[in-house]
């Protein structure tokens, strides 16, 4: 989630304000999170332990036979941009941001298993939220942060693999800048009844480079910058998957998804 410019694209608004009462990168003037322990993006929140992920995790492995391949390195046929066609570039079997806006899937999904691989810039420029900033955004409302968090300190709930503004990852399993990394995300969509009463919250499990960093974590609601999420605005049980554009040349490859939910199974 970028904190230096305001982005309004594909129905997602990110409100951005200057930090206050700041030591390490972060905030102490934001709302308290529902657990009452930390402010949103709290500069004093403890950071996850740093670990080294295993060297033999699978990269560029073939997708399961029942998966929908969203990007195979050849074209953007499964994606759309802010104003129509995607303007990101493709080379050497990966896509790379080009400061032309966020992109999202053409299809919508309910519960799912999502796999993708990403690489932040090998040339380190900036610090904190200014290094390799991007994000996997679900329905334009819930975000798993993409960031270069290798020897790069920022607020704990904004580092790589965090549920942005809510939960840091259990550990920091980041690889060095420029190296390919994996996210495997298992998503359970929230649901409301016919009277718009919440009957199930959203849950997410995330593996970063093969390491579990969120284990069926319950979300507090929508994700945004400097605010506490909630479920006050019901939405359908399916939606698009979005990749951000924050001015950093982040790369993605080998993206596939397996629908899991009751709304997605074949009859």
């Amino acid at each position: 989630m970028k904190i230096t410019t305001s982005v309004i694209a594909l129905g997602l608004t990110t409100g951005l304000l200057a930090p206050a009462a700041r030591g390490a990168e972060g905030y102490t003037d934001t709302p308290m999170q529902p657990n009452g322990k930390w402010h949103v993006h709290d500069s004093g929140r403890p950071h996850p332990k740093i670990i080294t992920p295993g060297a033999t995790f699978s990269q560029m492995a073939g997708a399961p036979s029942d998966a929908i391949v969203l990007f195979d390195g050849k074209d953007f046929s499964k994606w759309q941009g802010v104003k129509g066609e995607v303007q990101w570039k493709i080379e050497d079997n990966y896509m790379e941001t080009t400061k032309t806006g966020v992109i999202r899937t053409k299809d919508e999904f309910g519960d799912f298993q999502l796999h993708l691989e990403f690489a932040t810039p090998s040339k380190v420029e900036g610090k904190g939220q200014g290094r390799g900033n991007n994000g996997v955004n679900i329905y334009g409302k819930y975000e798993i942060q993409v960031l270069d968090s290798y020897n790069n300190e920022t607020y704990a709930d904004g580092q790589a693999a965090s549920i942005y503004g809510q939960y840091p990852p259990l550990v920091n399993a980041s690889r060095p800048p420029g190296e390919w990394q994996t996210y495997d995300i298992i998503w359970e969509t929230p649901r409301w009844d016919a009277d718009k009463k919440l009957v199930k919250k959203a849950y997410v499990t995330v593996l970063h480079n093969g390491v579990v960093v969120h284990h069926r974590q319950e979300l507090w609601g929508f994700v945004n910058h400097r605010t506490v999420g909630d479920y006050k605005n019901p939405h359908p049980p399916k939606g698009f998957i979005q990749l951000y554009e924050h001015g950093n040349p982040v790369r993605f490859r080998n993206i596939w998804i397996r629908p899991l939910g009751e709304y997605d199974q074949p009859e």
Side-chain angles (χ1 to χ4, degrees), residues 15 59 85 122 148 159 175 188 190 206 229 235 244 247 263:
Q59 288 182 327
E85 293 186 2
S122 57
D148 175 6
Q159 72 173 68
R175 294 188 182 277
E188 298 177 45
V206 180
H235 60 75
Y244 277 128
Y263 296 94

Side-chain angles (χ1 to χ4, degrees), residues 11-29:
L12 179 67
T13 302
T14 303
L16 309 172
L17 301 173
R22 176 174 168 176
E25 182 174 72
Y27 305 85
T28 57
D29 66 341

Side-chain angles (χ1 to χ4, degrees), residues 121-224:
S122 57
K123 181 181 179 181
V124 175
E125 295 181 345
K127 61 181 180 179
Q129 294 290 299
R131 274 177 54 176
N133 195 313
N134 206 288
V136 180
N137 193 285
I138 300 166
Y139 309 163
K141 301 179 185 298
Y142 313 94
E143 180 187 2
I144 306 301
Q145 173 77 315
V146 171
L147 195 76
D148 175 6
S149 285
Y150 189 86
N151 293 330
N152 178 37
E153 187 170 304
T154 186
Y155 42 86
D157 61 18
Q159 72 173 68
S162 64
I163 302 172
Y164 190 80
Q166 297 191 16
Y167 299 98
L170 295 173
V171 294
N172 181 350
S174 296
R175 294 188 182 277
E179 292 191 12
W180 285 102
Q181 310 192 51
T182 62
Y183 277 170
D184 290 279
I185 300 170
I186 295 88
W187 174 256
E188 298 177 45
T189 187
R191 289 173 171 81
W192 291 261
D193 63 19
D195 296 322
K196 298 185 178 180
K197 178 182 177 181
L198 181 70
V199 295
K200 181 185 177 182
K201 295 183 178 181
Y203 291 85
V204 68
T205 295
V206 180
L207 284 76
H208 182 195
N209 293 327
V211 178
V212 174
V213 292
H214 298 287
H215 182 209
R216 200 170 185 267
Q217 182 62 63
E218 177 186 292
L219 274 69
W220 293 324
F222 303 163
V223 167
N224 212 333

Side-chain angles (χ1 to χ4, degrees), residues 53-97:
T56 59
F57 77 101
S58 176
Q59 288 182 327
M60 285 298 287
S65 61
D66 63 346
I68 300 169
V69 177
L70 296 176
F71 181 71
D72 61 2
K74 298 177 181 179
D75 58 53
F76 290 114
S77 60
K78 299 290 187 179
W79 300 83
Q80 67 184 58
V82 177
K83 298 180 180 180
E85 293 186 2
V86 177
Q87 301 300 313
W88 293 12
K89 68 179 181 180
I90 295 177
E91 59 182 39
D92 297 330
N93 293 316
Y94 63 78
M95 65 168 82
E96 184 176 312
T97 61

